[in-house]
Amino acid sequence: MFAKDGRWNGRRGVSKCCITPSEFFARKGYHRTNISDIIARARIARGTFYLYFQNKKDLFEELLEQVLGELSLRIQRLRLGPGEPDPVEQLRNNLRRVLNFLLAERELTDILLNHSTGFDRELDSRIREFYQRVAEQIQRSLDLGIGMNLVRDCDTRAVAYCILGGIKEVVGQASRHRRSDISELAEEILHFGLRGVARHELLVGVLGGTHTRSGAISTH
């Protein structure tokens, strides 16, 4: 995306410094936050900021790219074969990693979930594009799951947006209420997701029944 002359690394480094000032975006809102707020909190010179970013919108877009990158690192492709963990456990671990990241970066999460639309059409478009890319990642995973005979045949685009919408609401509630029981939260989301997209044979064959909240298995 950037020339290999250190500019990309510098841009990424400056934006990481500005992750902490993202609390301004969350608390004051995008439109009431100004460059002076950001550079003062990040303790960088104004010239350094403008060396890598044209404006706060440019920084905001970089933060979105970083979130996508972090999510991609935490969502690992399912592996099948002898010696591999069962697919449900791999899904569970993916969920835990994603939730741990989103709830650890509460300011960024609040920005994404509570962005007010209608003030800046270009910014609104960037937020919609961000969620579209997340939905596309989910859709690709569902398509792969169908190909691996792990997921039932379905409209993967529609199901991807159902999953995305559900997770957005759950994460929003968990963030507002400072929920910290990540494992239990992941279990509830997994339980719901499997009932919605898993082939019945997989659910019965792998789980042997239904997981309870405690992790035990019920056969009824």
Side-chain angles (χ1 to χ4, degrees):
M1 185 182 295
F2 296 92
K4 297 180 180 179
D5 58 358
R7 182 171 175 77
W8 165 248
N9 289 333
R11 180 183 173 97
R12 178 59 60 90
V14 171
S15 63
K16 284 185 176 180
C17 288
C18 294
I19 288 289
T20 299
S22 65
E23 65 191 61
F24 285 112
F25 285 138
R27 294 177 183 176
K28 298 179 64 175
Y30 173 84
H31 297 284
R32 288 190 297 162
T33 299
N34 56 51
I35 298 299
S36 297
D37 292 330
I38 296 170
I39 62 176
R41 186 66 180 87
R43 297 181 180 180
I44 59 174
R46 183 175 294 270
T48 301
F49 179 88
Y50 283 112
L51 179 63
Y52 298 105
F53 302 100
Q54 295 181 10
N55 47 43
K56 67 177 179 179
K57 185 182 296 182
D58 198 20
L59 169 64
F60 190 76
E61 291 176 1
E62 172 61 24
L63 294 180
L64 294 182
E65 287 296 323
Q66 287 191 29
V67 172
L68 280 173
E70 292 291 342
L71 291 176
S72 296
L73 287 174
R74 287 162 173 77
I75 302 174
Q76 299 179 4
R77 180 171 177 169
L78 298 187
R79 305 177 306 278
L80 299 180
E84 298 291 355
D86 71 68
V88 174
E89 185 60 27
Q90 293 181 59
L91 285 171
R92 183 178 289 114
N93 290 334
N94 280 344
L95 265 175
R96 287 173 178 167
R97 285 189 291 267
V98 168
L99 291 173
N100 272 312
F101 168 70
L102 292 175
L103 294 179
E105 299 290 348
R106 293 180 190 270
E107 287 85 5
L108 285 173
T109 299
D110 288 344
I111 292 168
L112 292 172
L113 295 178
N114 301 319
H115 167 66
S116 297
T117 60
F119 294 100
D120 187 320
R121 290 184 178 180
E122 186 176 351
L123 183 63
D124 293 347
S125 177
R126 294 293 183 271
I127 295 289
R128 286 195 298 270
E129 181 183 346
F130 169 82
Y131 281 122
Q132 180 179 339
R133 291 170 65 183
V134 173
E136 288 171 352
Q137 286 186 348
I138 297 172
Q139 183 177 0
R140 285 194 294 271
S141 296
L142 291 170
D143 288 334
L144 178 63
I146 291 174
M148 298 169 72
N149 206 31
L150 297 176
V151 174
R152 64 174 173 81
D153 287 333
C154 60
D155 181 341
T156 54
R157 179 177 173 79
V159 172
Y161 275 99
C162 288
I163 293 172
L164 175 59
I167 290 179
K168 282 171 62 178
E169 288 299 317
V170 170
V171 169
Q173 287 288 331
S175 180
R176 285 191 292 273
H177 296 288
R178 300 290 169 177
R179 186 166 176 172
S180 59
D181 51 335
I182 302 298
S183 293
E184 183 176 343
L185 188 60
E187 198 67 32
E188 291 289 356
I189 295 172
L190 180 66
H191 193 63
F192 176 80
L194 285 176
R195 285 181 175 274
V197 302
R199 292 171 55 240
H200 178 70
E201 304 94 293
L202 175 70
L203 192 60
V204 174
V206 174
L207 297 182
T210 303
H211 272 275
T212 64
R213 292 188 181 186
S214 65
I217 295 177
S218 171
T219 56
H220 58 272

